[in-house]
């Protein structure tokens, strides 16, 4: 059985070359007979045959393209090469609406090549030299297929690009040197394409090597740039982690709580793009490291977390926020046993409503669920509100900040607000002001007092008839205030209930423990003086090495050519050097990891790109975890089921376990009340 495959279908007349072997049409242009293809010509390889036809096309004044290739398994059996103006594409758009020119003119010129089984060679079995259009040999060099840049031209382009000379100026210099445009066998577009394709960008085969070279360049600019790679047996990249000097310095200030995001991926190689993110004193995200991962297995996460800890001096964060992933959880337990691990509330709130979107009124359900999660101020109130929520439904502003030196006016006459105004960044002071404005809805009443330790009940009016009650304790001796809403413990901002008690007690200045250095605008942080690592368009190092080697080899060869003895010495030296280089290359093939400490240009040149993934269109902006996919599949099945069959207690427990830990909208971690003089966030 013939398991052959084909890129096109050939007619019987095109396959049977014997019928046309006696007649060869005359060419339309005068070409040296040695360059004209003839039936029966043989070639060692298919590439040689294609090159021969291209040379003929250049002499005759046209260009070629491979029309189709027939294969049997992985072996090519025959190939049809035609004039590039063969065929005619029929547009569905009428000519009156589409006026763009088309190159297809049904040109019949072609050659048919097939392999000789017994000989292992290639033979031309059919030739058609006639064209349906005029050919112009004098302008053939301007056809795209025949335009080329010599090595000297390419090196000049590279040197001018490095010197900052515009491509148009570079091309004009070639025109002036050649004596006119017609004397060049390339156009300005070729110069620009070469700069874009070769100088500024890299080919697919060089992706991994350029990835490693980028790390080396960043390391050369700043020795504190950190990176580590884990490689497969074929030297392809399995895991990669990196962080620049600015990120490493920022970790000293904002590394107490980390958000770990694995919800993005790359298009070409389907690698998971991972980020370690903290929150700076403006309440903004700050990048503390990046990674690419081939898979999301436990061992991969362990390697990544260990690399990140080495990068950050072995200091584990106090809190770590992740998506709901068992692999992450186990890796964290092994690598950071003292770190408090919490699921990100954003992910939880995104997933739970998606479990209900098949039911009528799911928008109201989602809104009510958000109220339960965000407005339950204790474990008991959450349990009570959650049960009411299940019963009722039959279920189981960011502003752009201007000039840093401007001052946001105080909303009240409070000296405490002025204290925060003087210390905090604009973003965090706005959060403080929200609490001061909310204080007007609070009614404070003393419940108990003993030896300077006071217990207050603060009622907050949330509607015309509803008051929420909060217990606030105040130690006048230690100047310590604490509210059971735990806003300060969760977000580092004093709540309106505590501020009401301080105002009731006529406190004019809060203890320094409540003005966190983390949100301060006055601290000169070391990381702000470190430039972020940005790459620059650099020359391909291989070209530089080639130029140096050629220059030195010319001198050596000139000296060695004086006698047979010197030539023999040079040949032996070449053999020894080649053997040494091959041994070094073979040794590096077994390397399974690469770090910023031992990497060099030669080692990154061995890197291979991961297997490319064929995709249709661009990928989704955000990846879904296994849990999300399970939820999505379950949702489709449950759309037709009765609501009473849905068990939401698993969702309730997930939300409950996380909600009880914090009350903020930004991160689900708890701050401990710091001791005097301790301005760091605690979990």
């Amino acid at each position: 059985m013939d398991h052959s495959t084909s890129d096109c279908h050939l007619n019987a007349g095109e396959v049977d070359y014997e019928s046309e072997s006696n007649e060869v049409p005359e060419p339309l242009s005068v070409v040296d007979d040695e360059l004209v293809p003839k039936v029966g010509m043989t070639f060692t390889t298919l590439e040689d045959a294609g090159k021969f036809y291209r040379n003929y096309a250049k002499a005759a004044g046209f260009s070629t393209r491979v029309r189709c290739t027939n294969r049997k398994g992985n072996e090519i059996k025959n190939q049809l090469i035609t004039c590039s103006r063969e065929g005619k594409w029929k547009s569905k758009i009428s000519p009156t609406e589409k006026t763009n020119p088309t190159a297809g003119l049904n040109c019949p010129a072609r050659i048919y090549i097939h392999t000789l089984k017994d000989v292992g060679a290639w033979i031309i079995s059919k030739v058609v030299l006639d064209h349906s259009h005029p050919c112009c040999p004098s302008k053939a060099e301007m056809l795209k297929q025949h335009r080329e840049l010599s090595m000297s031209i390419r090196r000049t382009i590279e040197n001018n690009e490095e010197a900052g000379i515009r491509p148009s100026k570079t091309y004009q210099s070639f025109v002036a040197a050649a004596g006119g445009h017609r004397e060049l066998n390339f156009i300005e577009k070729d110069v620009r394409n070469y700069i874009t394709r070769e100088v500024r960008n890299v080919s697919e085969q060089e992706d991994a090597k350029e990835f490693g070279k980028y790390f080396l360049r960043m390391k050369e600019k700043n020795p504190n740039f950190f990176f580590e790679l884990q490689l497969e047996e074929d030297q392809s990249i399995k895991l990669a982690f990196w962080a620049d000097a600015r990120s490493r310095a920022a970790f000293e200030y904002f590394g107490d709580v980390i958000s770990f995001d694995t919800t993005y991926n790359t298009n070409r190689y389907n690698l998971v793009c991972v980020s370690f993110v903290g929150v700076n004193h403006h309440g903004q995200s700050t990048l503390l490291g990046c990674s690419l991962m081939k898979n999301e297995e436990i061992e991969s996460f362990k390697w990544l977390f260990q690399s990140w800890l080495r990068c950050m001096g072995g200091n584990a964060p106090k809190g770590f926020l992740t998506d709901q992933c068992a692999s992450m959880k186990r890796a964290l337990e092994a690598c950071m046993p003292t770190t408090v691990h919490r699921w990100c509330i954003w992910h939880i709130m995104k997933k739970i409503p998606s479990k209900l979107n098949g039911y009528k009124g799911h928008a109201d359900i989602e809104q009510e669920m958000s109220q339960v999660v965000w407005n339950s101020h204790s474990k008991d109130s959450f349990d009570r509100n959650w049960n009411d929520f299940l019963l009722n439904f039959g279920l189981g502003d960011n502003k752009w900040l201007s000039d840093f030196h401007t001052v946001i006016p105080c909303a009240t006459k409070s000296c405490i607000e002025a204290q925060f105004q003087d210390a905090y960044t604009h973003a965090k002071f706005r959060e403080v002001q929200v609490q001061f404005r909310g204080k007007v809805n609070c009614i404070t009443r003393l419940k108990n007092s003993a030896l300077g330790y006071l217990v207050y009940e603060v009622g907050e009016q949330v509607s015309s008839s509803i008051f929420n009650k909060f217990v606030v304790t105040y130690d006048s001796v230690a100047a310590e205030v604490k509210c059971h809403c735990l806003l300060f413990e969760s977000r580092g901002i004093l709540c309106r209930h505590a501020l009401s008690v301080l105002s009731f007690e006529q406190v004019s200045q809060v203890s320094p423990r409540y003005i966190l250095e983390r949100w301060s605008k006055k601290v000169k942080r070391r990381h702000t003086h470190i430039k972020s690592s940005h790459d620059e368009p650099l020359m391909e190092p291989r070209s530089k090495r080639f130029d140096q080697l050629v220059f030195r080899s010319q001198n050596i060869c000139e000296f060695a050519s004086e006698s047979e003895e010197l030539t023999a010495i040079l040949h032996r030296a070449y053999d020894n050097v080649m053997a040494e280089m091959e041994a070094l290359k073979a040794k590096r093939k077994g390397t399974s990891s690469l770090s910023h400490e031992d990497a060099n240009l030669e080692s990154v040149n061995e890197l291979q790109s991961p297997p490319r993934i064929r995709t249709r269109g661009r990928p989704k902006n955000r990846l879904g975890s296994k849990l999300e996919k399970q939820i999505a599949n379950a949702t489709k099945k449950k759309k037709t089921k009765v609501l009473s069959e849905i068990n939401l207690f698993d969702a309730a427990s997930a939300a409950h376990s996380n909600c009880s830990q914090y009350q903020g909208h930004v991160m689900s971690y708890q701050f401990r009340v710091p001791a005097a003089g301790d301005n760091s966030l605690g979990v």
Side-chain angles (χ1 to χ4, degrees):
M1 182 176 180
D2 187 3
H3 298 282
S4 63
T5 58
S6 174
D7 296 333
C8 70
H9 297 285
L10 298 179
N11 297 326
E14 295 176 303
V15 178
D16 184 11
Y17 62 89
E18 294 181 354
S19 61
E20 295 192 19
S21 61
N22 296 325
E23 292 185 13
V24 177
E26 291 295 326
L28 296 177
S29 57
V30 179
V31 180
D32 189 342
D33 187 65
E34 294 182 355
L35 296 177
V36 179
K38 302 177 180 65
V39 172
M41 282 185 169
T42 59
F43 303 89
T44 305
T45 64
L46 180 62
E47 289 74 20
D48 291 341
K51 184 177 181 181
F52 176 83
Y53 193 50
R54 286 194 299 273
N55 290 336
Y56 162 72
K58 185 175 182 180
F62 68 98
S63 60
T64 68
R65 66 187 177 98
V66 176
R67 177 64 177 84
C68 62
T69 302
N70 289 331
R71 293 179 173 86
K72 184 177 182 181
N74 294 327
E75 296 182 2
I76 296 178
K77 292 302 181 181
N78 49 60
Q79 191 172 83
L80 175 64
I81 306 178
T82 68
C83 172
S84 61
R85 305 188 79 173
E86 178 268 345
K88 192 168 185 179
W89 178 70
K90 295 182 179 179
S91 175
K92 296 181 180 179
I93 304 175
S94 65
T96 57
E97 298 178 4
K98 184 182 186 301
T99 58
N100 292 338
T102 177
L105 293 174
N106 283 327
C107 183
R110 64 190 60 200
I111 65 170
Y112 183 77
I113 314 166
H114 82 278
T115 183
L116 295 174
K117 297 181 180 179
D118 300 332
V119 182
W122 295 83
I123 186 171
I124 297 179
S125 57
K126 179 180 178 180
V127 175
V128 177
L129 299 180
D130 290 328
H131 293 266
S132 63
H133 56 89
C135 298
C136 185
S138 62
K139 296 182 179 180
E141 291 184 342
M142 291 297 101
L143 296 174
K144 184 177 181 180
Q145 184 182 55
H146 304 310
R147 298 199 304 263
E148 61 179 356
L149 302 176
S150 65
M151 184 63 186
S152 61
I153 293 293
R154 294 199 301 269
R155 294 297 292 120
T156 302
I157 294 173
E158 292 169 0
N159 291 333
N160 288 358
E161 176 67 13
E162 186 175 15
I165 300 175
R166 296 196 302 271
S168 59
K169 296 294 185 182
T170 297
Y171 178 71
Q172 290 301 325
S173 69
F174 292 139
V175 173
H181 294 272
R182 295 182 180 275
E183 303 303 321
L184 295 176
N185 59 348
F186 59 91
I187 59 178
E188 183 177 340
K189 185 177 180 180
D190 297 321
V191 176
R192 295 182 180 276
N193 288 344
Y194 179 76
I195 292 173
T196 302
R197 183 179 65 252
E198 302 294 341
V199 180
R200 296 178 182 171
N201 295 333
V202 294
S203 63
E204 293 178 11
Q205 292 79 10
E206 299 294 316
D207 278 351
K209 296 180 179 61
E210 289 301 320
F211 187 60
K213 291 174 186 177
Y214 165 81
F215 285 161
L216 291 182
R217 294 195 294 268
M218 296 301 99
K219 181 73 174 178
E220 184 178 356
K221 288 183 178 182
N222 193 318
N224 282 332
F225 185 89
F226 182 99
F227 71 91
E228 287 189 355
L229 306 176
Q230 187 177 71
L231 311 177
E232 300 282 16
E233 292 182 0
D234 61 355
Q235 298 297 286
S236 65
I237 297 175
K238 180 180 180 181
L239 297 165
F241 168 76
W242 68 96
D244 65 7
R246 185 184 178 96
S247 295
R248 299 180 75 180
F251 177 80
E252 298 179 14
Y253 306 96
F254 314 124
D256 46 2
V257 179
I258 301 298
S259 174
F260 184 70
D261 191 358
T262 61
T263 57
Y264 296 89
N265 75 331
T266 62
N267 187 22
R268 180 170 296 172
Y269 302 111
N270 201 34
L271 298 175
V272 180
C273 185
V274 180
S275 61
F276 294 82
V277 179
V279 176
N280 66 13
H281 55 305
H282 294 286
Q284 301 166 337
S285 298
T286 182
L287 191 62
L288 300 177
C290 292
S291 175
L292 293 176
M293 303 179 67
K294 196 172 183 179
N295 58 60
E296 295 183 80
E297 299 174 354
I298 296 176
E299 293 304 318
S300 297
F301 282 121
K302 283 184 179 180
W303 180 92
L304 177 57
F305 292 152
Q306 290 167 355
S307 297
W308 185 74
L309 287 174
R310 284 193 294 272
C311 174
M312 301 307 173
N315 299 315
K318 298 174 182 177
F320 209 88
L321 305 179
T322 72
D323 194 3
Q324 294 167 284
C325 175
S327 298
M328 293 183 201
K329 183 177 184 296
R330 294 183 183 179
L332 274 172
E333 291 173 349
C335 300
M336 307 180 206
T338 61
T339 298
V340 177
H341 178 210
R342 290 287 182 266
W343 287 340
C344 178
I345 192 67
W346 182 84
H347 286 107
I348 295 174
M349 294 305 296
K350 181 176 177 60
K351 293 172 185 176
I352 295 179
S354 67
K355 207 169 184 178
L356 308 172
N357 62 6
Y359 303 104
K360 185 177 180 180
H362 67 87
D364 295 334
I365 296 175
E366 181 177 347
Q367 182 179 1
E368 183 64 23
M369 183 179 294
S370 297
Q371 290 288 331
V372 171
V373 172
W374 295 114
N375 295 325
S376 298
H377 303 293
S378 67
K379 179 181 181 300
D380 293 336
S381 65
F382 175 82
D383 290 337
R384 183 173 59 255
N385 294 337
W386 182 260
N387 290 330
D388 291 342
F389 162 71
L390 296 179
L391 181 62
N392 293 337
F393 285 93
L395 302 168
D397 285 300
N398 293 327
K399 297 182 179 179
W400 186 261
L401 302 179
S402 56
D403 183 359
F404 178 79
H405 297 287
T406 59
V407 177
I408 299 176
C410 290
T412 68
K413 301 296 183 180
S414 170
C415 295
I416 297 178
E417 184 184 4
Q419 192 178 359
F420 284 108
Q421 178 197 46
D422 180 64
Y424 277 12
T425 62
H426 286 4
K428 285 300 166 182
F429 180 57
R430 290 186 191 277
E431 293 185 30
V432 172
Q433 284 191 317
V434 171
Q435 301 304 317
F436 272 95
R437 292 190 181 98
K439 194 176 66 169
V440 300
N441 297 321
C442 297
I443 300 175
T444 305
R445 184 175 63 174
L446 180 64
K447 297 286 290 184
N448 195 6
S449 174
L451 301 176
Y453 187 83
L454 311 172
V455 179
Y456 284 90
E457 181 183 85
V458 178
E460 180 183 3
Q461 187 174 8
V462 294
S463 68
S464 59
S465 60
I466 299 177
F467 282 81
N468 288 336
K469 295 181 180 180
F470 300 89
V471 176
V472 180
T473 59
Y474 177 64
D475 188 338
S476 59
V477 178
E480 180 177 339
V481 63
K482 185 173 183 179
C483 177
H484 89 275
C485 79
L486 301 178
L487 181 66
F488 180 79
E489 288 76 5
S490 65
R491 297 181 60 189
I493 300 293
L494 275 178
C495 66
R496 61 196 71 185
H497 321 116
L499 292 174
S500 296
V501 171
L502 293 176
S503 177
F504 191 87
E505 288 289 322
Q506 298 183 353
V507 176
S508 60
Q509 296 285 312
V510 296
S511 171
R513 74 181 69 186
Y514 298 111
I515 301 180
L516 301 183
E517 186 179 271
R518 196 183 200 288
W519 310 135
S520 176
K521 63 184 178 184
K522 296 184 177 181
V523 177
K524 299 301 180 183
R525 296 172 172 84
R526 184 170 63 90
H527 78 283
T528 60
H529 302 287
I530 302 175
K531 292 180 64 177
S532 298
S533 296
H534 296 291
D535 199 12
E536 300 173 358
L538 297 179
M539 287 291 301
E540 167 56 45
R542 185 174 184 179
S543 298
K544 295 183 178 180
R545 294 196 304 271
F546 178 81
D547 292 344
Q548 295 169 355
L549 291 172
V550 168
F551 178 77
R552 294 201 65 184
S553 63
Q554 288 176 344
N555 297 332
I556 294 174
C557 292
E558 182 178 355
F559 183 79
S561 63
E562 294 179 359
S563 68
E564 291 291 341
E565 291 80 4
L566 293 176
T567 301
I569 292 175
L570 183 58
H571 278 305
R572 289 196 297 270
Y574 278 152
D575 293 338
N576 294 334
V577 170
M578 181 60 70
E580 183 179 353
M581 290 190 297
E582 290 177 347
L584 179 61
K585 195 170 183 179
K587 179 181 178 181
R588 286 207 172 117
K589 286 186 177 179
T591 305
S592 61
S593 63
L594 193 64
S595 73
H596 65 105
E597 297 174 341
D598 54 9
N600 54 40
L601 192 57
E602 286 71 24
S603 60
V604 300
N605 273 329
E606 301 296 329
L607 295 177
Q608 301 295 321
S609 301
R612 182 169 180 178
I613 305 299
R614 291 187 177 271
T615 59
R616 180 173 295 178
R618 71 177 183 87
K620 294 180 179 179
N621 285 339
R622 184 178 170 276
L623 287 176
S625 65
K626 292 182 180 178
L627 178 60
E628 286 182 278
K629 294 175 182 177
Q630 292 172 357
I631 292 174
N633 292 333
T635 301
K636 295 178 181 178
K637 298 178 181 178
K638 293 181 179 179
K639 284 184 178 180
T640 58
K641 290 188 177 181
V642 183
L643 296 181
S644 61
E645 295 179 358
I646 303 301
N647 185 356
L648 293 180
F649 287 107
D650 56 340
S653 60
H656 174 206
S657 62
N658 289 276
C659 175
S660 61
Q661 296 299 325
Y662 85 111
Q663 303 298 327
H665 289 262
V666 180
M667 283 190 169
S668 55
Y669 53 82
Q670 276 200 330
F671 291 91
R672 59 176 170 81
V673 179
D678 182 4
N679 290 318
S680 63
L681 290 181
V683 179

